[in-house]
Amino acid sequence: MNNTEQLIETPSDSTGTAAAPSEPASAASPSSFDPRADLAAAVELAGRTLAAVRPGQYDDPTPCEEFDVRRLSSHLVAVVRRISVIGRGEDPFGVPSFADEIPDGGWAAAWEPGAREVAEVWADPGVLGRQLRLPMGVLPGAAAAAVYAHELTVHTWDLARATGQEPEWDQGLIERVIDVVRRALPAETRGGRIPFGEVVAVDAGAPAIDRLVAWAGRRP
């Protein structure tokens, strides 16, 4: 599925519950690492991109091979809902991976309450230092915010590319996300339990968004 939340996929126990990683995925302290503004910006841009999708595009393919535009739109709504659940310290598996109950064209309307809830839940600075449960395992809240800023940014690019949109990317945000994801997702660990394609070579001077999606296995 090429999702950032699966970067550190952990074995399940007999109940199907993901076990926590044996070591923290991020050593950054909450006092020095606060990606909540980046998460908020990623949520806002994803919502604007989703709102611009046209009905005739729902069946079109996206760079994320498993998803057409319809399936990716449904998944994005599920992701924004899951971010709130995770921030509250609840079970991420309580939110399905797709918002299948939403009819075609209803994703943008469903996004708005989901985005408001993310803002409310993550407004508490104490969330940064809490151990939160993600589908990948247990991470500090600061690391969880960075994980989802990356996932939303890459999937926003997927959706924009599929629907002919050209969002105004926040270069600073993307550079920060690149720094995090290159440590979390090394080039050498692809395939198998790491559901990303091989890194696509791009020039070092390429736009930040191109370098980000190339690291995720997309071809800009």
Side-chain angles (χ1 to χ4, degrees), residues 65 112 117 124-125 139 154 165 191 203:
E65 294 180 357
E112 294 179 9
E117 189 172 10
D124 176 10
L139 295 176
V154 172
Q165 299 183 55
D203 291 339

Side-chain angles (χ1 to χ4, degrees), residues 44-99:
E44 195 275 335
L45 183 58
R48 281 195 282 122
T49 305
L50 187 62
V53 174
R54 302 188 303 274
Q57 297 173 320
Y58 296 161
D59 293 321
D60 291 349
T62 76
C64 188
E65 294 180 357
E66 298 99 334
F67 297 159
D68 58 14
V69 168
R70 175 183 287 104
R71 201 65 172 154
L72 179 56
S73 299
S74 177
H75 177 62
L76 275 166
V77 172
V79 169
V80 82
R81 291 172 173 176
R82 183 171 279 176
I83 294 169
S84 294
V85 166
I86 287 169
R88 290 196 297 267
E90 298 172 1
D91 181 6
F93 296 105
V95 178
S97 294
F98 300 93

Side-chain angles (χ1 to χ4, degrees), residues 96-124:
S97 294
F98 300 93
D100 287 332
E101 81 285 0
I102 298 175
D104 284 0
W107 306 294
W111 185 268
E112 294 179 9
R116 286 196 300 269
E117 189 172 10
V118 168
E120 292 168 3
V121 170
W122 288 83
D124 176 10

